[in-house]
Amino acid sequence: MAKYLLLKHYRGAPASVNDVPMDQWTPEEISAHLKYMEDFASRLEETGEFVDHRALSPEGTFVRYDGEGRPPITDGPFAETKDLIAGWTVIDVETYERALELAAELSAAPGAGGKPVQEWLEVRPLLTPPPTITE
């Protein structure tokens, strides 16, 4: 089995088909979207393919070390993940094709007007530990 990260983007990916920002959805549309996500996770828990998922808060700050005894540097003139990444799901599946199949299913979550969002999801394999060399 291989683990994959399915990333949901606010922007940075091509626009979704139903490209209405979530802050313009009705409370019912938001509830339907969240229920779809929970039902998706529940089905994958039953098959053993679900690892974890999270929606991300829009708050966040870039931080980097700036030398001994100096305060960390925060933010900068670049896009931040708080502007780009809306959430993620980690799955553990047998094949890359299965990862793509599940990403497509997740992309069908309902959005504005109850229609599928049809958003683009980024599918990235998680690195596995390197092989151990024995003599």
Side-chain angles (χ1 to χ4, degrees), residues 105-122:
E105 185 178 335
L106 190 57
S107 171
K115 297 177 183 170
V117 175
Q118 291 182 270
E119 66 187 323
W120 291 93
L121 296 175
E122 184 176 355

Side-chain angles (χ1 to χ4, degrees), residues 15-108:
S16 59
V17 173
N18 187 358
D19 194 24
V20 177
M22 190 178 250
D23 63 0
Q24 295 176 22
W25 296 3
T26 67
E28 295 77 19
E29 291 166 344
I30 292 170
S31 293
H33 183 82
L34 296 176
K35 182 172 180 351
Y36 183 97
M37 303 296 285
E38 289 300 321
D39 291 348
F40 178 82
S42 293
R43 281 187 286 105
L44 294 185
E45 283 176 347
E46 292 172 11
T47 64
E49 296 173 306
F50 180 79
V51 177
D52 197 7
H53 70 163
R54 293 281 185 265
L56 297 176
S57 165
E59 293 85 32
T61 303
F62 267 99
V63 176
R64 77 161 201 198
Y65 174 76
D66 195 38
E68 189 66 38
R70 298 180 69 166
I73 294 177
T74 60
D75 289 319
F78 37 77
E80 298 192 40
T81 56
K82 66 185 176 187
D83 297 328
L84 300 175
I85 301 173
W88 50 269
T89 299
V90 177
I91 56 174
D92 193 1
V93 295
E94 291 288 339
T95 65
Y96 176 69
E97 290 73 22
R98 177 66 174 152
L100 296 180
E101 179 184 315
L102 292 174
E105 185 178 335
L106 190 57
S107 171

